[in-house]
Amino acid sequence: MTKIKLQEWMDGAICSLENSETPFLEVQVICASVLGKTREWILSHNELELGKDQVEQLNVLVTRLKNGEPLAYLTGQRSFYGLDFKVSPDVLIPRPETELLVEEAAAWLEENPHRRKAVDVGTGSGIIAITLADLCADLEMTAIDVSEKALAVAQENARQHQLEERIRWEQGDLLSQQSGPFDLILANLPYIPTSTLNQLDVIKFEPRLALDGGANGLIFIEQLLSQAVTRLLPGGAIFLEIESTLGEETLKLCQTIFPEAKTHLFYDFAQLARVIRIEI
Ligand SMILES: C[S@@+](CC[C@H](N)C(=O)[O-])C[C@H]1O[C@@H](n2cnc3c(N)ncnc32)[C@H](O)[C@@H]1O
């Protein structure tokens, strides 16, 4: 049987991904993942002859891509804030929008050097807790998720970055088992209204537990804010990632539960309402 060269296989795969907006990138990434090389290496070795097993593995991945499965689940990896994270179908794939929450929380920690007791509620793959622990060497971070499987992924990510011991890991429902008190509460909770979510492709692959915010999209945020009233220290802050279409509604909810607090809405790179900061 004649052997197929890397470039030939890539050309065929790119043509077959007719519904993708970024077929070149996706094909390079899956080749890099199967061959255990970088994308740069792939581009400079297009004459490589592929083995039978490699072609089989690549064909399986390209079929999964054609079926709409996210690239990050195929490669098991996604970068966030300059760090690499393992991902599995048990966790939400890290989104670039969440970098805004990390960036604003890191700026707040820099301005408040004596406020170091932080909690990341709904940690998922651990991106918020791990990135902030990496940025802030004296941060005392607790990371909570209701999903045991998500916590296992987050702990593995922390281990990979030598940060596992710096973070206290807790399985639980929001802050119900935590007395705190905390200086900083961070949360990217499920916030898509159920009826909206049911029409989105994202629900075919990513966990409902990570996305479904109930009928109005706000059930978890409302519960967390109510719990935070007795768990946030004076002078502390809450950072929430929010659904962009619910910016004003979420802000109102924050102002109802924390009437004395200063609130601020941050917009992401697409000018969408994305993060709320509450300072008490
Ligand atoms: C939108 S994902 C965010 C994951 C991660 N923090 C990120 O930014 O990519 C929400 C996470 O909240 C978790 N979660 C859902 N309900 C929860 C609850 N009642 N208590 C704690 N965590 C919960 C889910 O398992 C999921 O990992």
Side-chain angles (χ1 to χ4, degrees):
M1 200 180 95
T2 51
K3 285 205 164 177
I4 185 165
K5 289 193 175 163
L6 180 56
Q7 187 63 54
E8 267 176 84
W9 186 87
M10 291 205 293
D11 289 344
I14 288 164
C15 283
S16 74
L17 288 173
E18 53 209 12
N19 294 326
S20 162
E21 285 173 13
T22 52
F24 290 88
L25 175 73
E26 288 174 358
V27 166
Q28 288 163 16
V29 170
I30 60 172
C31 287
S33 168
V34 167
L35 299 181
K37 304 287 184 189
T38 63
R39 270 176 57 215
E40 292 69 27
W41 190 95
I42 296 296
L43 291 175
S44 59
H45 289 77
N46 50 9
E47 290 297 306
L48 178 83
E49 288 192 341
L50 295 170
K52 188 168 164 274
D53 287 356
Q54 289 170 328
V55 174
E56 272 172 17
Q57 282 179 57
L58 287 166
N59 286 342
V60 167
L61 291 187
V62 91
T63 303
R64 287 171 64 188
L65 262 184
K66 279 194 266 186
N67 291 338
E69 203 169 327
L71 187 60
Y73 286 157
L74 302 190
T75 60
Q77 190 275 334
R78 178 51 55 96
S79 294
F80 178 83
Y81 218 88
L83 296 178
D84 283 340
F85 287 88
K86 177 196 152 138
V87 293
S88 79
D90 293 318
V91 297
L92 187 87
I93 297 168
R95 303 294 202 269
E97 297 89 298
T98 308
E99 294 190 342
L100 179 64
L101 183 149
V102 168
E103 193 176 312
E104 292 303 334
W108 187 89
L109 284 166
E110 211 171 306
E111 283 161 24
N112 294 274
H114 302 299
R115 305 216 159 261
R116 287 297 177 261
K117 283 188 65 115
V119 60
D120 172 22
V121 189
T123 196
S125 60
I127 51 169
I128 297 173
I130 293 169
T131 312
L132 283 170
D134 188 50
L135 290 171
C136 182
D138 58 349
L139 193 63
E140 291 170 44
M141 178 60 88
T142 300
I144 299 171
D145 206 289
V146 74
S147 157
E148 238 175 82
K149 289 180 176 170
L151 270 183
V153 173
Q155 281 175 274
E156 199 176 324
N157 278 321
R159 212 170 301 135
Q160 190 179 309
H161 295 294
Q162 282 87 47
L163 290 166
E164 196 189 7
E165 304 304 322
R166 288 265 324 277
I167 299 170
R168 192 164 66 92
W169 304 95
E170 298 280 346
Q171 193 208 349
D173 180 13
L174 303 175
L175 291 175
S176 57
Q177 288 140 47
Q178 306 295 316
S179 50
F182 299 101
D183 295 306
L184 181 59
I185 298 176
L186 308 144
N188 176 16
L189 289 168
Y191 58 56
I192 305 181
T194 310
S195 56
T196 310
L197 181 61
N198 289 340
Q199 292 164 25
L200 300 178
D201 281 347
V202 73
I203 196 60
K204 292 186 193 149
F205 297 102
E206 297 189 69
R208 181 172 285 278
L209 190 60
L211 295 163
D212 192 341
N216 65 357
L218 293 172
I219 58 160
F220 294 107
I221 290 182
E222 184 167 4
Q223 274 177 36
L224 175 72
L225 289 174
S226 305
Q227 294 174 348
V229 170
T230 53
R231 292 164 174 88
L232 186 64
L233 287 162
I238 303 174
F239 286 78
L240 300 173
E241 181 169 322
I242 60 161
E243 152 68 49
S244 60
T245 57
L246 298 177
E248 288 307 318
E249 228 168 311
T250 318
L251 203 55
K252 250 187 234 152
L253 179 66
C254 297
Q255 287 158 350
T256 306
I257 298 177
F258 287 97
E260 309 289 321
K262 269 202 301 184
T263 50
H264 189 92
L265 190 54
F266 295 93
Y267 291 79
D268 66 16
F269 49 82
Q271 298 311 311
L272 298 173
R274 189 55 72 191
V275 171
I276 289 181
R277 182 185 64 207
I278 305 166
E279 288 177 297
I280 64 163

